[in-house]
Amino acid sequence: QVQLVQSGAEVKKPGASVRVSCKASGYTFTGYYIHWVRQAPGQGLQWVGRLHPNIGDTDYAQSFQGRVTLTRDTSITTAYMELSGLRSDDTAVYYCATIHDNGDYDDYWGQGTLVTVSS
Amino acid sequence: NFMLTQPHSVSESPGKTVTISCTRSSGSIDNNFVQWCQQRPGSSPTIVIYEDSQRPSGVPDRFSGSIDSSSNSASLTISGLRTEDEADYYCQSFDSNYHWVFGGGTKVTVL
C-alpha cells in the first residue's frame, strides 16, 4: 500500500534551517509529483511547493521563494523540504502529499512534521 | 492572485444536510478545477471531492460538489450528516501556474 512517512518533530532557533524528509513506498516514486503543504497552529492549509521526482523539477509558492528548496533521492525514494531563515511564524505542521490520477483518483498524505521555531 | 473565501463554521444535526460555499475573488470559478479536503481533528487532510464534483472511490455518495458560475463559487454538500463528518473542510483550486490555492477552511460541527 502507498505510504508517505515523514521525519520527526524539530525545534529550531530563528534564522536556522530545517530539513524535513518524506519517505515514499508502495508506488513508482518517480511517476508522481510530491507536494508540500503547511498548517500553522489553529490555522488553515498553505501550499509550499511541488517536486517531480523523475527530473527533479520544482515549483514554489511565491511566499516561500528564496527560502525553500525541494529535493529528492530516488535511490531511497525520499523527498526533502528545506526551509531556511526560519522565523517564529514558520512554526507549523508540514505535510507531504502525492496525488495519483490514473482513472482512479487517490491522494496520499504523510503524517505531518511539527517544526517549532523558538529562541 | 485570487482568494477563496469560505464561511468560518457551519453546524447542523445528524441526518440533516449542510452546504459549504467557496467563493473565488477574481477570475472565473470555471477557470480551474476545485477540490475539497476533509481534515478530522489531529489527522492529515484527505480529498473528498476532486475536479469540482468527482468523488474518489471510498468517499460516500453523501458528499457532493458543484460549481455555480453566477455566484463564482463552488459548494460542498454533505447530506445525511453523521458524527464522523465533524471536521474542517477546505476548498482548493489552482492559479495560472497550477499552484495550489486553499480557502480558509470551514469547521463543520454535528450537533
Side-chain angles (χ1 to χ4, degrees):
Chain A
Q1 75 281 22
V2 174
Q3 280 192 305
L4 298 177
V5 179
Q6 298 182 223
S7 49
E10 302 265 11
V11 179
K12 296 292 184 180
K13 294 194 182 302
S17 297
V18 67
R19 190 176 81 156
V20 178
S21 68
C22 172
K23 165 72 175 174
S25 61
Y27 73 99
T28 303
F29 178 65
T30 52
Y32 302 91
Y33 280 99
I34 295 277
H35 295 264
W36 290 86
V37 174
R38 80 174 185 182
Q39 185 171 38
Q43 301 301 309
L45 303 174
Q46 183 181 21
W47 186 74
V48 175
R50 64 170 171 249
L51 163 81
H52 199 293
N54 187 31
I55 53 177
D57 187 38
T58 55
D59 203 359
Y60 303 122
Q62 190 168 4
S63 53
F64 295 97
Q65 285 277 358
R67 286 207 304 139
V68 69
T69 304
L70 302 181
T71 58
R72 89 290 189 218
D73 185 338
T74 56
S75 69
I76 55 171
T77 65
T78 299
Y80 303 95
M81 183 207 68
E82 182 165 6
L83 187 61
S84 61
L86 288 169
R87 310 182 292 246
S88 59
D89 62 359
D90 291 318
T91 294
V93 175
Y94 290 78
Y95 295 100
C96 60
T98 184
I99 311 294
H100 298 182
D101 189 2
N102 303 312
D104 289 335
Y105 184 97
D106 296 288
D107 63 309
Y108 304 96
W109 295 69
Q111 81 276 21
T113 297
L114 176 61
V115 175
T116 302
V117 183
S118 173
S119 55
Chain B
N1 219 349
F2 64 90
M3 293 174 51
L4 297 171
T5 300
Q6 302 179 230
H8 185 255
S9 63
V10 297
S11 57
E12 192 47 274
S13 301
K16 299 294 189 180
T17 296
V18 294
T19 297
I20 303 166
S21 61
C22 171
T23 303
R24 180 167 168 154
S25 62
S26 62
S28 173
I29 193 71
D30 294 326
N31 281 358
N32 303 95
F33 283 128
V34 174
Q35 282 62 235
W36 289 91
C37 299
Q38 176 194 65
Q39 186 179 32
R40 293 189 174 110
S43 297
S44 302
T46 183
I47 293 173
V48 292
I49 294 290
Y50 69 98
E51 293 181 1
D52 299 339
S53 59
Q54 303 302 305
R55 267 190 321 276
S57 59
V59 174
D61 60 6
R62 302 183 296 102
F63 290 82
S64 63
S66 63
I67 294 293
D68 182 357
S69 299
S70 65
S71 59
N72 212 35
S73 66
S75 293
L76 173 69
T77 297
I78 311 172
S79 59
L81 203 59
R82 303 172 72 156
T83 54
E84 68 215 48
D85 300 331
E86 192 159 283
D88 294 324
Y89 291 84
Y90 297 90
C91 59
Q92 175 263 315
S93 190
F94 306 96
D95 68 14
S96 55
N97 295 310
Y98 285 93
H99 296 181
W100 293 7
V101 178
F102 286 100
T106 299
K107 181 177 180 61
V108 170
T109 301
V110 182
L111 300 171

